[in-house]
Every structure is written in C-alpha cells, then in structure tokens.
Amino acid sequence: MEPILKARGLVKRFGKVIALNNADFDLYPGEVLAVIGDNGAGKSVMIKSLSGAIRPDSGKVWLDGDEVAFSTPLDARKQGIETVYQTLALSPALSIADNIFMGRELRKKGPLGTILKQLDRPAMNRFAREKLTELGLMTIQNIAQSVETLSGGQRQGVAVARAAAFGSKVIILDEPTAALGVKESRKVLELIQQVRDRGMPVVLISHNMPHVFEVADRIHVHRLGERLCTISPKDYTMSDAVAFMTGAKEAPAQEAA
Amino acid sequence: MTETEFKGQDFEKSLTDATANVAEFDDSERSALRRFQQILHSTPSLVPLIVLAASLIVFGLLEERFFRAATLTLIMQQIAVVGILGVAQSLVILTAGIDLSVGAFAVFTSVVMGQFTFRYGIPPAISIVIGLAVGTALGAINGWLVAKVKLPPFIVTLGTWQIVLAANFMYSANETIRSQDIEAEAPILQFWGTSFKIGATTATLAVLLLIAIVIIMAYVLRQTAWGRHTYAVGDDPEAAELAGVQVKRQLIQVYALAGFFTAVAGWVMIGRYGSVSPAASTGQIGNIQAITAVVIGGISLFGGRGSILGMFFGALIVGVFELGLRMLGTNPQLTYLLIGVLIISAVATDQWIRKISG
C-alpha cells in the first residue's frame, strides 16, 4: 500500500540548531499514526513542514503519490491537509462561525455575493452548528459568540471541528488533549476514532501515552530530529515506547516502514 | 492492546456518575454589572454612543441654542476631515498598528491635487485621481515596510509622517493656492464644500461623504471576508496566518486603503478650507485628532476589537465638546482637558471590557 503522505530526508536548521536531521515520514490511508518524541525532538517542526507552516531546507514530500511543496498553510489546506495546531490558531475576538470559516468564507449567491462580496452568515452559522453538534463536543447556545468566551475544551472542539469539516485527505492534530480535562480528552479521542472510521487518516502528536496507545494504529517514534523507528502498539508496551524515545533502550530492528 | 493501557484509562469509568457541569460560579451579586459588561463586549460602539447621547443632553440643557439643527450640522461639517482620517486610522489600529502619517498624507495629497492642476495645467479631475493614487501608494509603502520589512508601525509612520510633510513643503515651495483661483479655474477641487439645504439649515456634501464612507466601511468590516481577515490579523496574526489568512497581503492592503482615505480627506480639506495650503494644521495634528476619535470610539489599540461606527461616535463626541464648550464661552483649554479625560476613560473602559475573556 502506498502512503498517502510521505516525506523523505527532511532537513530544517534554525541557526546552529538542527531541528530536523534527514527525517522520514509515512502515513498510510485510513490509519491513526501517533508521533511521539521527547521535548525538542523536532516533532512540531516536522509536522509544520508537512502542513506548510514551515518550509524545510531540503527534503521531499509526497501527497497521494504526487510530489508537493507547500509554502503556506493555505497551500496544504487547498490540497486537503488540515492541521489543528497546539495554539489552536483561533482568533479570540471573532465568533465561532467566523473562526471555522477563516480564509474560506462563504459568500451569498447572486450579486450580493459576487459584487458586494457579502458573507452568507446564515449558511456559515448553520454549517458551523451542524459540525459542532455532529461531534457532540459541546453545548454552545450561540454560534455568534466570540471564541474567547469559551472554555479551553470548547475552543479545542472548535479547532478540531474546523479541521474535521474541511480536511479531505489528512488531519493533523498537535497535542489535542494537552490542555484538556478528562472528559474533554475522551471526546477528542472518540472524535479521532470517528474521523478514522470515516476513512480519513489522522496524525496525532501527543505526549500522553495512554491516549496514544488507545487510538493509534502505528506509532512513529521521533528522536534527535529524525524517525527512530515505527512500532505497533500491539507489540510494545508504553514503557517500551518511552524507553525508545528517550534513548534508554535501543530501537528495534526496523520493520518495513 | 496491552494490559497497561486498560489501567491507564480505568479512572475514567467513574465519569458516568459525575455531574455534567464542568464549573459553576456564583455571580448573582454582580450579575447586572456582568451582563452590562457582556453587552458592551459584544457591541463595542455602545460606550461612545452612550457618552455621545449624554454629552448632547448635557450641552442641550446648559445652552438652549445647542439643539438647533444649524449647530448639529455645523458639528458634522467640522468633523468631516477628522472623521475620514479616523476611518483610515481605524483600519490600521484594527490590525494592531498605528498610523502617525495620516495628517501629513492628507495635506500632501491636497497639495498634489492643487499643484498638478495649477502648475502643470492638468485637468483638475485627473489631478484628483492622481492625488488619490499618490495617497494609496504612500499607504502601500507604509504597509510594505510594516508587513515585509517587519518594522513597527509606530516607527514606520513616524518616519513617513516627517518625510511626507517635509516633501510637502519642499514640493509646494510653501506656496498656498488661493481660494478664489480654485473657485474660478478648478471648482471640482472644492466639490465637497458644496452646501445644500436640509430643512431650514445647510450642510456640505462632505457630511454626506463621511456618512457614506462610515456606512460602506462598517459593511466591509462586518459583512465581508476581507473585513473579518482585518480583525483576525489584529487579533492574533500568527493564528490568522495558520488559519489561512495571507497576513502580509492583508496588512499592505489595509495600509493602502488607509492611504486612499487620507487622500480623500485631502480632497475634502480643499472644500472645507477653500484654499490649498501646505501649512494646514492637519499635517501636524491630524494624526492625533484621528487617534483621539478612534480611541474615544472604543477601538482597542491592541487590535482586533471595535468598530468604525464607534470611531464615528468618537469623532462626534470631540466635535460636540469643542462646539458646546465654545458656545458656553468657557476657556478653550477646558476642551482639551476634557478630551484628555475622555481618552483615558475610554481606554480604561476598553481594558475592563476585555477582562471578560480572562
């Protein structure tokens, strides 16, 4: 099976720091791939290279077999890669619907939309409400309320809903449960499985081993700027995984990536 | 799945019996105040509207001539130039920037319109178009320096303010074009000073232009994607970029549009003062006047919050204070003193409203 998203030899330097040192990456259709690694291992930089937020110094990325080079997150989004960043990338003062549609707003039909460029707020609100309800992630009364009035979990929900609504090929989640309580984390994990069951591959970056081992089909262990190994959660324990990523234990001989 | 994994998730089983509420706070004591704060939070132009209504009532009670239509249209005429500069300033401040160059741009573009007509004999209508283009280009330069060269807006516009003001004096040789000459040879330059009757009083077209610009820009900012992007850039530029807004392009467009409006203000100035004078006070204090209107109008200097309508009310408040206090015959310094108090109160109110998210 061909990977849907593949990267080879990614290199990124920040001054003297080598954040990515010939990193490889493979994501197969329909799977949840967890990416784990110690702080500073370069997980975020690798993910940002795949989502267009960072342009790697060298290396190649293939999406669905075609070579791609994203220079902005917008490029990646246009090709169907949606990312939920750790910072969520929400505008606090704007409404939930405005945030969900940021950068791809719907315009009214007819001259109101084409000439006056008027936003189709009813349609945007309806869609936003639909997506949020679908995910069952929150009980929001007013879709026009600003994001800053929401709790941390609700904000996460808005960001995930945005990615799930528009992603057509790959969804990348960077630490989606890091800031959440027990119940909200559970919702996000259910959501990840829900998205996978719809056939959409998910990349999950997380420090939370129980979460990783619960939802991941494969685990990509990142260490010192490169892929150390890829393991199956069925074959290894959480302590094994932690040992690999911290270097306490030799990586297993690589299975076919 | 491994054995450890089940243990790790085991603690969640007790959740089924847990209450569904995440957190509750008893705020019944302060609920009226909180609700008021929430209303202000969702409608930021409400504060200046309340202040405007209050000041109108107070001046109306103190001075019976104040409530006449003539007084009210006079206020509108007096704030036309500042109001249009305020629109330009609002756009920039919404992106968390500041524009110190608006006044200088307005004077310079009015000089361009006048000098191109009288020195080079270019038809005045074309000179006006050139003036508007010069304003837009100057704004775009500000935007380019802010977005691409990544200089702080304060520094960029402090620089272009001085550069353009100096260029304005050098280019015009400090020469004023007299009102009579403009009236005789290029009346279109004074177009916005044309007066018309409404009821028993007269107003100038500049008043209608200001209202039209405020309505159009309120629409653009609220109802179009471009407007939402402007707010998003001011709110959190990194989030906006990651969410798919082209932040740099948006900034350049915002500054260019602000530059365009400064040139419109320059044209309106010719109608208001009759002559084209490179030494018009707008060049020196227009920026501060515009910032004052914006701040009193409840637009946050931190970007992303506030509305053009608020700025319009802010400009009106300043106009009401200026004329009202003059009619009462008070010391003119009292006007500035009170405006200073208003500025500080407005920012303090903004801080209080913003606390809702904390």
Side-chain angles (χ1 to χ4, degrees):
Chain A
M1 192 162 44
E2 266 301 297
I4 179 140
L5 185 62
K6 178 170 101 170
R8 286 294 175 267
L10 293 178
V11 175
K12 180 72 188 176
R13 292 186 197 86
F14 297 103
K16 284 187 173 168
V17 180
I18 301 173
L20 281 182
N21 183 17
N22 263 317
D24 296 341
F25 178 87
D26 291 280
L27 173 72
Y28 290 95
E31 72 171 350
V32 174
L33 175 73
V35 176
I36 62 172
D38 224 345
N39 286 334
K43 305 181 297 274
S44 283
V45 178
M46 180 179 71
I47 290 311
K48 283 185 173 167
S49 315
L50 297 173
S51 70
I54 283 178
R55 211 192 299 215
D57 298 330
S58 67
K60 286 180 177 173
V61 179
W62 291 265
L63 177 64
D64 238 353
D66 300 320
E67 194 178 330
V68 287
F70 305 128
S71 47
T72 65
L74 204 58
D75 286 347
R77 272 173 36 167
K78 279 182 189 148
Q79 307 250 12
I81 300 180
E82 282 291 329
T83 308
V84 179
Y85 296 94
Q86 219 172 333
T87 55
L88 300 185
L90 298 172
S91 297
L94 296 184
S95 77
I96 296 165
D98 279 344
N99 267 293
I100 286 183
F101 282 92
M102 185 57 62
R104 53 189 146 209
E105 291 81 359
L106 302 180
R107 286 204 208 128
K108 283 210 170 125
K109 295 207 165 55
L112 272 180
T114 50
I115 299 167
L116 294 179
K117 316 256 185 224
Q118 191 175 19
L119 295 174
D120 192 348
R121 283 195 193 272
M124 282 164 57
N125 288 347
R126 207 177 322 120
F127 182 88
R129 182 176 294 283
E130 229 168 70
K131 288 296 161 191
L132 294 176
T133 327
E134 207 173 281
L135 306 180
L137 212 64
M138 61 196 63
T139 47
I140 285 170
Q141 286 133 27
N142 184 1
I143 207 82
Q145 78 188 82
S146 64
V147 163
E148 66 197 345
T149 60
L150 301 177
S151 73
Q154 289 175 322
R155 287 181 206 198
Q156 188 84 44
V158 172
V160 174
R162 173 166 72 180
F166 293 102
S168 62
K169 289 201 171 130
V170 175
I171 291 179
I172 301 173
L173 301 165
D174 193 358
E175 297 277 5
T177 56
L180 299 185
V182 176
K183 266 181 288 184
E184 287 135 330
S185 296
R186 172 88 357 243
K187 288 278 189 196
V188 171
L189 294 178
E190 279 167 13
L191 174 66
I192 291 172
Q193 283 158 333
Q194 218 177 319
V195 170
R196 188 235 337 250
D197 293 346
R198 278 193 251 155
M200 177 91 64
V202 177
V203 181
L204 168 70
I205 298 110
S206 181
H207 271 118
N208 189 314
M209 289 300 146
H211 292 169
V212 165
F213 274 75
E214 184 182 341
V215 297
D217 299 308
R218 289 190 313 133
I219 300 173
H220 167 134
V221 183
H222 212 71
R223 181 168 157 71
L224 303 176
E226 59 188 328
R227 179 169 67 184
L228 182 74
C229 58
T230 314
I231 58 175
S232 161
K234 294 188 189 74
D235 306 335
Y236 293 90
T237 64
M238 283 188 233
S239 357
D240 291 336
V242 172
F244 294 144
M245 75 182 219
T246 54
K249 207 167 166 182
E250 276 300 306
Q254 197 48 267
E255 52 196 280
Chain B
M1 300 254 173
T2 57
E3 200 49 40
T4 30
E5 183 264 323
F6 288 112
K7 275 180 196 156
Q9 305 296 302
D10 210 33
F11 63 92
E12 291 181 41
K13 278 178 187 157
S14 59
L15 276 179
T16 42
D17 305 323
T19 160
N21 294 339
V22 175
E24 275 180 302
F25 301 96
D26 180 22
D27 63 353
S28 52
E29 232 172 279
R30 307 192 310 139
S31 65
L33 192 62
R34 290 267 319 170
R35 218 170 309 139
F36 183 57
Q37 189 185 14
Q38 260 155 9
I39 293 168
L40 295 183
H41 186 260
S42 52
T43 323
S45 57
L46 216 55
V47 182
L49 184 61
I50 293 169
V51 175
L52 178 62
S55 51
L56 280 173
I57 291 168
V58 169
F59 282 115
L61 291 175
L62 291 174
E63 172 62 61
E64 55 175 299
R65 288 174 302 159
F66 188 78
F67 257 138
R68 291 184 193 157
T71 313
L72 300 177
T73 55
L74 184 60
I75 292 173
M76 292 287 286
Q77 288 173 51
Q78 283 177 338
I79 66 156
V81 171
V82 170
I84 296 169
L85 290 179
V87 171
Q89 191 68 257
S90 300
L91 287 169
V92 170
I93 289 184
L94 280 175
T95 67
I98 193 137
D99 194 340
L100 299 176
S101 61
V102 289
F105 284 13
V107 173
F108 182 62
T109 50
S110 75
V111 163
V112 166
M113 292 174 194
Q115 293 290 348
F116 273 49
T117 306
F118 286 87
R119 198 189 291 183
Y120 310 131
I122 293 171
I126 294 175
S127 299
I128 288 167
V129 172
I130 293 171
L132 294 173
V134 167
T136 311
L138 287 171
I141 291 172
N142 274 344
W144 180 78
L145 288 168
V146 169
K148 297 274 189 179
V149 190
K150 296 189 191 302
L151 300 177
F154 184 91
I155 300 301
V156 167
T157 57
L158 183 65
T160 51
W161 171 22
Q162 300 304 329
I163 293 167
V164 168
L165 204 58
N168 157 61
F169 286 120
M170 285 155 66
Y171 171 67
S172 63
N174 214 350
E175 183 186 295
T176 299
I177 304 171
R178 293 187 310 158
S179 185
Q180 303 93 293
D181 296 342
I182 298 175
E183 216 175 317
E185 292 174 46
I188 193 173
L189 288 176
Q190 296 176 337
F191 177 74
W192 298 109
T194 314
S195 50
F196 65 96
K197 278 210 158 313
I198 33 168
T201 179
T202 57
T204 56
L205 288 179
V207 172
L208 295 184
L209 178 68
L210 172 61
I211 294 172
I213 289 177
V214 166
I215 292 172
I216 291 169
M217 286 319 294
Y219 170 86
V220 167
L221 286 171
R222 280 208 72 78
Q223 297 290 334
T224 72
W226 190 88
R228 297 286 91 189
H229 293 177
T230 302
Y231 277 89
V233 166
D235 208 1
D236 184 343
E238 272 162 47
E241 180 81 48
L242 291 174
V245 176
Q246 290 178 285
V247 172
K248 287 178 186 170
R249 201 179 69 178
Q250 188 75 22
L251 278 173
I252 293 174
Q253 287 175 353
V254 164
Y255 279 89
L257 186 60
F260 172 78
F261 282 125
T262 62
V264 172
W267 185 12
V268 171
M269 277 172 63
I270 306 177
R272 170 100 190 109
Y273 305 122
S275 58
V276 171
S277 164
S281 65
T282 305
Q284 295 292 356
I285 58 167
N287 52 7
I288 298 299
Q289 290 173 322
I291 293 170
T292 302
V294 167
V295 170
I296 294 179
I299 297 181
S300 170
L301 286 173
F302 301 103
R305 274 158 233 266
S307 70
I308 288 277
L309 206 58
M311 181 287 301
F312 180 58
F313 296 144
L316 276 172
I317 291 169
V318 174
V320 165
F321 270 71
E322 280 177 352
L323 194 66
L325 290 169
R326 202 188 315 154
M327 288 173 85
L328 288 173
T330 58
N331 186 330
Q333 292 306 328
L334 188 62
T335 313
Y336 298 110
L337 192 151
L338 287 176
I339 287 172
V341 171
L342 272 180
I343 290 173
I344 292 173
S345 324
V347 175
T349 312
D350 173 51
Q351 298 281 32
W352 178 65
I353 296 171
R354 282 156 52 91
K355 269 195 202 140
I356 202 166
S357 55

